[in-house]
Amino acid sequence: MRHNKKFNHLSRTASHRSAMLANMACSLIKHKRITTTLAKAKALKKYVEPLITKCKSDTTTNRRVVFRYLQDKYAVTELFKEISQKVGDRPGGYTRIIKTGFRPSDGADMCFIELVDYNENMAKTQKKATRRSRRGGKKTTTDAAAPAEETAVVEEAPVAEEAPKAEEVAEVVETAEAVAAESEDDTQVTA
Protein backbone atom coordinates (compact mmCIF):
# COMPACT_ATOMS: atom_id res chain seq x y z
CA MET A 1 0.00 0.00 0.00
CA ARG A 2 1.16 3.52 -0.72
CA HIS A 3 -0.62 5.42 2.01
CA ASN A 4 0.69 8.98 2.55
CA LYS A 5 3.26 8.77 -0.24
CA LYS A 6 2.19 11.81 -2.18
CA PHE A 7 4.97 13.04 -4.44
CA ASN A 8 4.77 12.97 -8.22
CA HIS A 9 6.67 10.05 -9.75
CA LEU A 10 6.49 11.68 -13.22
CA SER A 11 5.98 8.25 -14.83
CA ARG A 12 9.64 7.36 -14.28
CA THR A 13 11.69 5.00 -12.19
CA ALA A 14 13.51 6.46 -9.19
CA SER A 15 16.91 6.53 -10.90
CA HIS A 16 15.50 8.10 -14.07
CA ARG A 17 13.61 10.69 -12.04
CA SER A 18 16.63 11.67 -9.94
CA ALA A 19 18.85 11.95 -13.03
CA MET A 20 16.26 14.06 -14.83
CA LEU A 21 15.79 16.41 -11.87
CA ALA A 22 19.56 16.77 -11.45
CA ASN A 23 19.96 17.67 -15.14
CA MET A 24 17.07 20.13 -14.99
CA ALA A 25 18.51 21.72 -11.83
CA CYS A 26 21.91 22.14 -13.50
CA SER A 27 20.25 23.72 -16.53
CA LEU A 28 18.26 26.07 -14.31
CA ILE A 29 21.40 27.13 -12.43
CA LYS A 30 23.39 27.70 -15.63
CA HIS A 31 20.69 29.37 -17.76
CA LYS A 32 18.54 30.97 -14.99
CA ARG A 33 15.34 30.03 -16.87
CA ILE A 34 14.13 26.82 -18.51
CA THR A 35 10.90 25.84 -20.27
CA THR A 36 9.29 22.57 -19.23
CA THR A 37 5.95 21.01 -18.29
CA LEU A 38 4.13 22.19 -15.20
CA ALA A 39 4.46 18.87 -13.37
CA LYS A 40 8.22 18.74 -13.92
CA ALA A 41 8.59 22.39 -12.88
CA LYS A 42 6.77 21.76 -9.60
CA ALA A 43 8.96 18.73 -8.89
CA LEU A 44 12.07 20.74 -9.81
CA LYS A 45 11.07 23.55 -7.46
CA LYS A 46 10.95 21.11 -4.52
CA TYR A 47 14.29 19.68 -5.63
CA VAL A 48 16.32 22.85 -6.21
CA GLU A 49 15.14 25.24 -3.49
CA PRO A 50 16.73 23.29 -0.60
CA LEU A 51 19.98 23.22 -2.59
CA ILE A 52 19.90 27.00 -2.99
CA THR A 53 19.29 27.33 0.74
CA LYS A 54 22.37 25.16 1.35
CA CYS A 55 24.51 27.42 -0.83
CA LYS A 56 23.96 30.41 1.48
CA SER A 57 26.66 29.12 3.81
CA ASP A 58 29.75 28.16 1.82
CA THR A 59 31.24 25.22 3.71
CA THR A 60 32.93 22.08 2.45
CA THR A 61 30.10 19.95 3.80
CA ASN A 62 27.45 21.98 2.01
CA ARG A 63 29.41 21.84 -1.24
CA ARG A 64 29.65 18.06 -0.97
CA VAL A 65 25.94 17.70 -0.19
CA VAL A 66 24.96 19.86 -3.18
CA PHE A 67 27.43 18.05 -5.45
CA ARG A 68 25.86 14.74 -4.41
CA TYR A 69 22.55 15.96 -5.84
CA LEU A 70 23.77 17.84 -8.94
CA GLN A 71 26.88 15.86 -10.07
CA ASP A 72 28.14 18.90 -12.00
CA LYS A 73 31.03 20.86 -10.55
CA TYR A 74 30.45 23.90 -12.81
CA ALA A 75 26.86 24.20 -11.63
CA VAL A 76 27.96 23.82 -8.00
CA THR A 77 30.62 26.52 -8.45
CA GLU A 78 28.14 28.93 -10.01
CA LEU A 79 25.59 28.15 -7.32
CA PHE A 80 27.99 28.92 -4.47
CA LYS A 81 29.73 31.92 -6.06
CA GLU A 82 27.14 33.86 -8.05
CA ILE A 83 23.69 32.73 -6.97
CA SER A 84 24.44 32.63 -3.24
CA GLN A 85 25.31 36.35 -3.31
CA LYS A 86 22.03 37.28 -5.01
CA VAL A 87 19.81 35.21 -2.72
CA GLY A 88 21.71 35.90 0.50
CA ASP A 89 18.99 38.08 2.02
CA ARG A 90 15.98 36.19 0.59
CA PRO A 91 14.38 33.84 3.16
CA GLY A 92 13.00 31.43 0.54
CA GLY A 93 11.04 31.32 -2.70
CA TYR A 94 14.04 31.38 -5.01
CA THR A 95 12.16 30.18 -8.09
CA ARG A 96 9.09 31.35 -9.97
CA ILE A 97 6.81 29.26 -12.20
CA ILE A 98 4.92 31.09 -14.96
CA LYS A 99 2.45 29.16 -17.12
CA THR A 100 2.75 29.62 -20.87
CA GLY A 101 -0.19 27.60 -22.19
CA PHE A 102 -0.52 24.15 -23.67
CA ARG A 103 1.85 22.17 -25.87
CA PRO A 104 0.29 21.70 -29.33
CA SER A 105 1.27 18.04 -29.76
CA ASP A 106 -0.15 16.47 -26.61
CA GLY A 107 -1.84 19.33 -24.75
CA ALA A 108 0.49 19.25 -21.77
CA ASP A 109 0.57 22.30 -19.48
CA MET A 110 3.75 24.21 -20.34
CA CYS A 111 5.52 26.79 -18.22
CA PHE A 112 8.90 28.25 -17.56
CA ILE A 113 10.66 28.15 -14.23
CA GLU A 114 13.21 30.82 -13.43
CA LEU A 115 15.35 32.11 -10.61
CA VAL A 116 13.54 35.10 -9.10
CA ASP A 117 16.52 37.43 -8.65
CA TYR A 118 17.69 37.08 -12.25
CA ASN A 119 14.68 38.36 -14.18
CA GLU A 120 15.38 42.06 -14.70
CA ASN A 121 12.10 42.60 -16.59
CA MET A 122 9.98 41.51 -13.63
CA ALA A 123 12.11 43.48 -11.18
CA LYS A 124 11.57 46.73 -13.11
CA THR A 125 7.82 46.35 -13.44
CA GLN A 126 7.12 45.51 -9.80
CA LYS A 127 6.56 48.42 -7.47
CA LYS A 128 7.87 48.44 -3.95
CA ALA A 129 4.93 47.42 -1.80
CA THR A 130 4.06 49.54 1.18
CA ARG A 131 2.81 47.86 4.27
CA ARG A 132 -0.44 49.20 5.65
CA SER A 133 -2.19 48.12 8.79
CA ARG A 134 -5.93 47.80 9.06
CA ARG A 135 -6.13 49.75 12.29
CA GLY A 136 -4.09 52.72 11.14
CA GLY A 137 -2.20 52.85 14.40
CA LYS A 138 0.16 55.64 15.39
CA LYS A 139 3.73 55.47 14.17
CA THR A 140 6.65 56.26 16.36
CA THR A 141 9.00 59.05 15.41
CA THR A 142 11.76 56.64 14.41
CA ASP A 143 9.41 54.67 12.15
CA ALA A 144 8.05 57.82 10.55
CA ALA A 145 11.50 59.29 9.87
CA ALA A 146 13.04 56.19 8.26
CA PRO A 147 10.44 55.63 5.47
CA ALA A 148 10.43 59.33 4.61
CA GLU A 149 14.14 59.18 3.82
CA GLU A 150 13.69 56.02 1.73
CA THR A 151 10.76 57.37 -0.26
CA ALA A 152 12.59 60.60 -0.96
CA VAL A 153 15.41 58.63 -2.58
CA VAL A 154 13.00 56.36 -4.49
CA GLU A 155 10.82 59.20 -5.78
CA GLU A 156 13.67 61.28 -7.21
CA ALA A 157 14.64 58.83 -9.98
CA PRO A 158 11.18 58.20 -11.53
CA VAL A 159 10.37 61.93 -11.67
CA ALA A 160 13.39 62.55 -13.88
CA GLU A 161 12.36 59.67 -16.17
CA GLU A 162 8.66 60.61 -16.36
CA ALA A 163 9.19 64.26 -17.36
CA PRO A 164 10.00 63.50 -21.04
CA LYS A 165 7.05 61.12 -21.20
CA ALA A 166 4.68 63.85 -19.99
CA GLU A 167 6.00 66.22 -22.66
CA GLU A 168 5.49 63.57 -25.34
CA VAL A 169 1.93 63.00 -24.15
CA ALA A 170 1.26 66.76 -24.22
CA GLU A 171 2.53 66.95 -27.82
CA VAL A 172 0.30 64.05 -28.87
CA VAL A 173 -2.72 65.65 -27.18
CA GLU A 174 -2.02 68.99 -28.90
CA THR A 175 -1.76 67.34 -32.32
CA ALA A 176 -4.97 65.37 -31.69
CA GLU A 177 -6.79 68.57 -30.72
CA ALA A 178 -5.47 70.35 -33.82
CA VAL A 179 -6.67 67.52 -36.06
CA ALA A 180 -10.07 67.55 -34.35
CA ALA A 181 -10.35 71.35 -34.80
CA GLU A 182 -9.45 71.05 -38.51
CA SER A 183 -12.07 68.32 -39.03
CA GLU A 184 -14.73 70.50 -37.32
CA ASP A 185 -13.81 73.43 -39.58
CA ASP A 186 -14.11 71.18 -42.63
CA THR A 187 -17.57 69.97 -41.57
CA GLN A 188 -18.75 73.54 -41.01
CA VAL A 189 -17.50 74.68 -44.44
CA THR A 190 -19.29 71.82 -46.26
CA ALA A 191 -22.55 72.35 -44.36
Side-chain angles (χ1 to χ4, degrees):
M1 285 187 263
R2 58 178 302 272
H3 296 305
N4 293 327
K5 297 182 180 177
K6 295 181 180 178
F7 72 94
N8 195 346
H9 294 279
L10 301 172
S11 300
R12 287 165 172 80
T13 60
S15 59
H16 186 186
R17 186 172 52 249
S18 65
M20 181 195 66
L21 289 173
N23 286 332
M24 289 175 68
C26 291
S27 297
L28 179 65
I29 290 167
K30 290 177 185 175
H31 302 290
K32 312 302 187 259
R33 174 190 284 184
I34 58 172
T35 302
T36 183
T37 62
L38 185 62
K40 287 180 188 176
K42 287 179 178 179
L44 179 62
K45 186 171 188 162
K46 289 181 182 178
Y47 186 86
V48 79
E49 289 209 1
L51 300 179
I52 296 174
T53 302
K54 285 261 187 217
C55 82
K56 285 183 175 182
S57 62
D58 189 5
T59 62
T60 306
T61 305
N62 284 346
R63 281 185 179 264
R64 286 178 179 166
V65 168
V66 171
F67 183 76
R68 191 176 75 213
Y69 283 94
L70 296 181
Q71 293 295 316
D72 185 359
K73 62 182 176 182
Y74 300 111
V76 172
T77 303
E78 185 165 351
L79 185 66
F80 276 90
K81 285 188 177 178
E82 185 181 339
I83 295 175
S84 65
Q85 293 174 354
K86 283 230 178 188
V87 300
D89 58 341
R90 184 177 288 275
Y94 311 111
T95 57
R96 174 189 300 130
I97 296 175
I98 298 177
K99 296 179 183 179
T100 58
F102 299 99
R103 188 162 49 198
S105 60
D106 60 352
D109 266 337
M110 295 301 289
C111 66
F112 60 81
I113 181 169
E114 66 183 0
L115 295 175
V116 172
D117 295 321
Y118 284 90
N119 190 351
E120 291 82 17
N121 297 334
M122 287 286 217
K124 290 179 185 175
T125 58
Q126 291 177 348
K127 292 190 287 185
K128 186 174 182 180
T130 58
R131 188 173 179 195
R132 298 179 182 172
S133 68
R134 292 182 180 173
R135 289 185 268 162
K138 298 177 183 177
K139 291 185 177 182
T140 61
T141 56
T142 56
D143 292 341
E149 294 170 359
E150 291 175 5
T151 54
V153 172
V154 172
E155 291 175 1
E156 289 175 6
V159 171
E161 293 175 5
E162 291 179 12
K165 292 179 184 176
E167 293 173 3
E168 292 172 5
V169 170
E171 291 174 3
V172 170
V173 170
E174 289 174 2
T175 56
E177 290 173 354
V179 169
E182 289 176 10
S183 64
E184 287 177 9
D185 292 340
D186 291 340
T187 55
Q188 290 176 357
V189 170
T190 57

